[in-house]
Amino acid sequence: MEFDFAEEQPKFLMLMYGLIAFVAVVGGLLLLLDVVPAWFARRREAQLVAASTGGGPLPRRRKPREGLFALFFLLPTLVLLTIGLVVPALRTVLLSFMDAGSTEWVGLRNYGWMFSEDSIVRVLLNTLIWVLLVPLVATTFGLLYAVMVDKARFESVAKSLIFLPMAISFVGASIIWKFVYAYRSEDQDQIGLLNQIVVTLGGEPRQWLLDSPLNTFLLIVIMVWIQAGFAMVVLAAAIKAIPGDIVEAARLDGVTPWQMFWQITMPSIRPALIVVVVTLSIATLKVFDIVRTATNGNYDTSVIANEMYNQAFRYGEAGQGSALAVFLFILVIPIVIYQIRNLRQQREG
């Protein structure tokens, strides 16, 4: 296949225009950040020189208009957020009240469909299982890892290995675990680790990702494997931030390791625990890659994000897909509000 520059010329022109626009915007902002403060500094210096040579009073320094400066720097971000977030969100809300072709208003019919269709109710239940299990199990394993490797001999190496799955994308991790769950018939050699273990122990191989509801829990294992490293890093940092005098005083009082964990460690790292659970809850509500890669949402494994994609882009049901997107957004809002209130209480306390 030969490369025809003439046919690809419009793409190169668009790329060039994009680069020019990027350089113009970023360069303009950097120039303003350099020129504007320098201009005010030179002006102030000239006023001071004029006042000192003329014998007059020094000019009073005006209080900076912090609101205008903040607006000046935040304006580009606000514009981008409006274009990329606010406008699409409002459009999605409007589409959720329309039919599949986005031509007629249907009111709340799409939302009623969500809770009356058996397959979608199953999707909602799967999402609930994910949200209940992933934050709890991943945080538990992360805390266990953090306590076990704290002040260990090879602490840095252990933490690096535990955190390593975080460097893998959800798609890559799902492919790895699909090999773990891989199935072959009994007369063939098993390439899946799990089936090979079962066969070695005298059992029969199974098609793990086809059996519901077991397959949902096996997909949850992938998410826990990835996120446990994140929980471990945050909680390990919180454990190391516990004041040494508190730990030493508890040891002098003769507390047992179990009492040390529940009476000293857990209350001290409570803010970090809340951050981890909230972060994992939001990430779990939006999970898409793992389900899409491992099972494509088949065999009763679909979740809200995956079903939203299917309805909007595979089945052409824009209204139903938008309704699922809005419902997912509504589920995230209480968690975000709780986290904001919690952070505010920590700052005030």
Side-chain angles (χ1 to χ4, degrees):
M1 181 177 180
E2 297 182 358
F3 179 79
D4 191 347
F5 182 81
E7 293 183 359
E8 304 296 334
Q9 185 176 359
K11 297 180 181 180
F12 283 105
L13 288 176
M14 291 183 63
L15 177 62
M16 184 180 66
Y17 293 151
L19 291 175
I20 293 174
F22 175 80
V23 172
V25 172
V26 176
L29 289 175
L30 294 176
L31 182 63
L32 286 175
L33 292 175
D34 180 65
V35 171
V36 173
W39 182 80
F40 279 109
R42 289 195 299 269
R43 181 183 176 187
R44 177 67 179 175
E45 184 179 357
Q47 291 175 349
L48 293 174
V49 171
S52 61
T53 55
L58 293 175
R60 295 173 59 185
R61 186 178 183 88
R62 296 181 181 180
K63 294 182 65 177
R65 299 178 181 179
E66 297 180 357
L68 291 177
F69 278 106
L71 181 61
F72 172 75
F73 289 115
L74 290 176
L75 186 60
T77 303
L78 293 176
V79 171
L80 293 175
L81 283 176
T82 302
I83 297 174
L85 184 63
V86 177
V87 173
L90 294 177
R91 184 173 181 271
T92 302
V93 173
L94 292 177
L95 291 177
S96 68
F97 297 105
M98 304 179 74
D99 62 357
S102 304
T103 56
E104 297 181 3
W105 296 95
V106 296
L108 297 175
R109 190 177 72 185
N110 293 325
Y111 293 94
W113 161 83
M114 286 171 45
F115 298 100
S116 60
E117 187 73 22
D118 291 341
S119 60
I120 306 304
V121 172
R122 180 64 192 180
V123 168
L124 299 180
L125 290 176
N126 286 341
T127 305
L128 178 62
I129 294 173
W130 276 78
V131 175
L132 290 178
L133 289 183
V134 171
L136 177 62
V137 178
T139 304
T140 301
F141 274 100
L143 180 59
L144 180 64
Y145 292 152
V147 173
M148 291 178 61
V149 303
D150 185 43
K151 298 180 181 178
R153 184 177 180 182
F154 300 102
E155 179 180 357
S156 59
V157 177
K159 286 183 177 179
S160 299
L161 294 176
I162 296 171
F163 187 77
L164 194 59
M166 282 292 297
I168 306 173
S169 67
F170 282 3
V171 174
S174 301
I175 293 174
I176 292 173
W177 280 87
K178 281 189 71 174
F179 282 109
V180 175
Y181 300 143
Y183 165 82
R184 283 186 174 181
S185 58
E186 297 182 25
D187 57 343
Q188 294 180 313
D189 294 333
Q190 299 298 320
I191 62 171
L193 176 62
L194 186 55
N195 272 323
Q196 182 59 52
I197 294 174
V198 171
V199 171
T200 303
L201 296 177
E204 297 181 358
R206 295 177 57 183
Q207 300 190 41
W208 301 100
L209 295 180
L210 272 61
D211 296 338
S212 178
L214 177 63
N215 47 14
T216 295
F217 295 103
L218 294 178
L219 297 184
I220 289 175
V221 170
I222 304 175
M223 186 76 166
V224 171
W225 179 68
I226 297 173
Q227 298 293 348
F230 162 76
M232 182 269 300
V233 169
V234 176
L235 297 178
I239 290 175
K240 288 192 175 297
I242 300 175
D245 53 351
I246 296 179
V247 177
E248 189 63 28
R251 288 174 178 170
L252 291 176
D253 289 339
V255 298
T256 63
W258 188 251
Q259 291 174 330
M260 175 75 75
F261 176 76
W262 284 108
Q263 299 177 11
I264 304 298
T265 303
M266 288 295 289
S268 300
I269 66 173
R270 179 179 175 274
L273 279 171
I274 294 176
V275 170
V276 171
V277 172
V278 169
T279 304
L280 293 181
S281 298
I282 296 175
T284 305
L285 276 172
K286 301 184 298 180
V287 66
F288 170 80
D289 314 62
I290 294 175
V291 176
R292 188 74 181 173
T293 305
T295 62
N296 200 23
N298 298 321
Y299 318 114
D300 294 332
T301 59
S302 188
V303 291
I304 291 180
N306 184 72
E307 192 63 29
M308 172 187 69
Y309 174 86
N310 287 338
Q311 295 294 331
F313 300 106
R314 293 185 62 192
Y315 308 147
E317 295 286 347
Q320 295 176 358
S322 299
L324 287 168
V326 173
F327 184 67
L328 181 61
F329 178 71
I330 293 173
L331 293 178
V332 173
I333 289 178
I335 303 176
V336 174
I337 294 176
Y338 172 77
Q339 177 65 356
I340 293 174
R341 292 183 59 185
N342 182 63
L343 293 175
R344 186 177 300 169
Q345 290 175 1
Q346 291 181 21
R347 286 197 299 266
E348 293 175 355

